[in-house]
């Protein structure tokens, strides 16, 4: 699963570097039903086109993160770097934005985009979101854009997010979530994992996972639903054939884009601080 996703997201980076739209990821093109219209022209002013072309997001996490000058932000699965570069603008020169990604091609593209954008308060790290290469209590805000659903060990991801956040730190991610269980044929199809659907958590499971990790104020807000009109390119032909017309209609009502929020309690003992 992980090797397949790394390969697919490497292809996304290569396509973006070549100036073409993406061919896989959350959906199958960067302007498909899931990824289109996430960012305003005002937001993306000064951001390299390649960063936007490589975006495989499902919502705009900056719309809910409420970043403040001087804060440290971490983007889990930063891809071409668009959310990191936008975060760096928000936190300003006294703050910092980290991007974490496991795909070499994406990291290379992100660093190129950073250089082109002329942004200094950014660092891109290689690693997996299940094992974040940052110290305990080092981050004010964690963002992510349609990536956590790709992990096969989401409890580990949420636990790591909790670990690196400072007391009072905020978890503010965009993700694909399920409103009900999806068909078995979808769960076993790797392309649907790379497309963000098969690996998604049900809403209540996401909330309980956050609470289990130690977070408080866990909430999931649905921001976008999908219909059969949005199916183009999202569901591989062999899966569509097995599901049939009614099955596809059922699947398209099973997942949504959502904002997921939670807070690390202030009282958490962390790095000797209370």
């Amino acid at each position: 699963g992980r090797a397949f996703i790394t390969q697919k997201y490497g292809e996304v980076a290569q396509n973006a570097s070549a100036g073409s739209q993406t061919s896989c990821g959350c959906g199958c093109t960067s302007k498909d039903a899931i990824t289109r219209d996430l960012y305003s022209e005002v937001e993306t002013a000064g951001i390299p086109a390649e960063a936007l072309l490589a975006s495989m997001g499902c919502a705009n996490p900056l719309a809910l993160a409420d970043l403040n000058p001087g804060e440290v932000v971490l983007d889990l699965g930063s891809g071409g770097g668009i959310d990191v570069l936008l975060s760096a603008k928000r936190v300003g020169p006294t703050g910092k934005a980290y991007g974490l990604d496991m795909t070499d091609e994406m990291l290379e593209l992100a660093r190129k985009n950073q250089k082109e954008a002329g942004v200094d308060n950014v660092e891109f790290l290689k690693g997996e979101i299940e094992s974040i290469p940052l110290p305990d209590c080092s981050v004010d805000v964690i963002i992510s854009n349609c990536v956590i659903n790709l992990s096969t060990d989401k409890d580990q991801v949420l636990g790591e997010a909790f670990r690196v956040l400072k007391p009072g730190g905020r978890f503010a991610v965009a993700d694909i979530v399920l409103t009900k269980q999806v068909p078995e044929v979808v769960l076993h199809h790797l392309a649907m994992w790379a497309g963000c659907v098969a690996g998604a958590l049900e809403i209540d499971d996401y909330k309980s996972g956050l609470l289990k990790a130690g977070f408080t104020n866990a909430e999931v807000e649905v921001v976008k639903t999908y219909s059969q009109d949005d199916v183009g390119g999202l569901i591989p032909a062999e899966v569509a054939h097995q599901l049939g017309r009614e099955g596809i209609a059922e699947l398209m009502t099973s997942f949504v884009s959502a904002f997921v929020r939670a807070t690390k309690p202030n009282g958490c003992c962390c790095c000797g601080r209370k």
Side-chain angles (χ1 to χ4, degrees):
R2 180 169 287 152
F4 178 85
I5 290 166
T6 302
Q7 176 197 334
K8 288 300 176 186
Y9 279 76
E11 291 170 8
V12 171
Q14 289 164 354
N15 287 344
S17 294
S20 61
Q21 291 184 357
T22 52
S23 61
C24 51
C26 277
C28 288
T29 70
S30 64
K31 301 300 178 192
D32 75 359
I34 291 181
T35 62
R36 67 175 174 241
D37 303 327
L38 300 188
Y39 303 96
S40 70
E41 289 183 20
V42 173
E43 281 181 303
T44 56
I47 300 295
E50 289 90 341
L52 193 54
L53 285 169
S55 173
M56 302 313 305
C58 56
N60 182 347
L62 277 78
L64 77 151
D66 193 25
L67 302 178
N68 302 303
E71 289 188 318
V72 178
V73 186
L74 168 64
D75 182 12
L76 299 180
S78 48
I82 184 168
D83 293 319
V84 179
L85 297 177
L86 291 174
S87 295
K89 281 186 179 183
R90 298 271 190 97
V91 300
T94 60
K96 182 158 187 177
Y98 288 100
L100 175 65
D101 207 282
M102 67 179 182
T103 308
D104 288 327
E105 294 89 344
M106 279 296 190
L107 289 165
E108 183 182 347
L109 176 61
R111 289 172 181 140
K112 174 175 171 282
N113 289 333
Q114 176 191 354
K115 187 175 180 181
E116 190 177 326
V119 180
D120 294 326
N121 58 330
V122 161
E123 186 176 346
F124 289 101
L125 308 169
K126 182 170 183 181
E128 296 169 357
I129 62 175
E130 297 86 0
S131 182
I132 299 171
L134 286 173
D136 296 357
C137 314
S138 56
V139 174
D140 293 293
V141 185
I142 284 180
I143 64 169
S144 185
N145 201 341
C146 196
V147 171
I148 293 173
N149 55 73
L150 297 172
S151 174
T152 55
D153 192 347
K154 295 174 183 63
D155 284 345
Q156 177 69 19
V157 175
L158 298 180
E160 277 288 271
F162 188 87
R163 178 185 67 78
V164 301
L165 279 172
K166 300 174 186 177
R170 307 179 315 274
F171 180 89
V173 311
D175 217 346
I176 293 290
V177 300
L178 298 179
T179 57
K180 54 191 169 188
Q181 194 50 260
V182 299
E184 200 73 15
V185 62
V186 171
L187 293 176
H188 294 298
H189 202 286
L190 282 173
M192 294 295 284
W193 274 88
C196 293
V197 178
L201 286 172
E202 289 191 55
I203 289 174
D204 287 345
D205 291 338
Y206 217 133
K207 288 182 190 174
S208 61
L210 286 162
L211 296 174
K212 179 181 170 187
F215 287 99
T216 58
N217 305 320
E219 57 181 85
V220 178
E221 175 193 353
V222 176
V223 292
K224 194 172 184 182
T225 59
Y226 303 98
S227 69
Q228 271 189 283
D229 294 338
D230 299 320
V231 77
L234 178 62
I235 301 176
E238 57 266 47
V239 175
H241 178 72
Q242 289 182 64
L243 290 175
R245 194 174 192 82
E246 288 185 9
I248 290 173
E250 179 77 7
L251 175 62
M252 297 306 290
T253 62
S254 299
F255 66 93
V256 295
S257 291
F259 286 156
V260 184
R261 301 175 178 87
T263 307
K264 181 169 180 172
N266 265 314
C268 271
C269 182
C270 199
C271 312
R273 296 193 303 273
K274 291 270 187 179

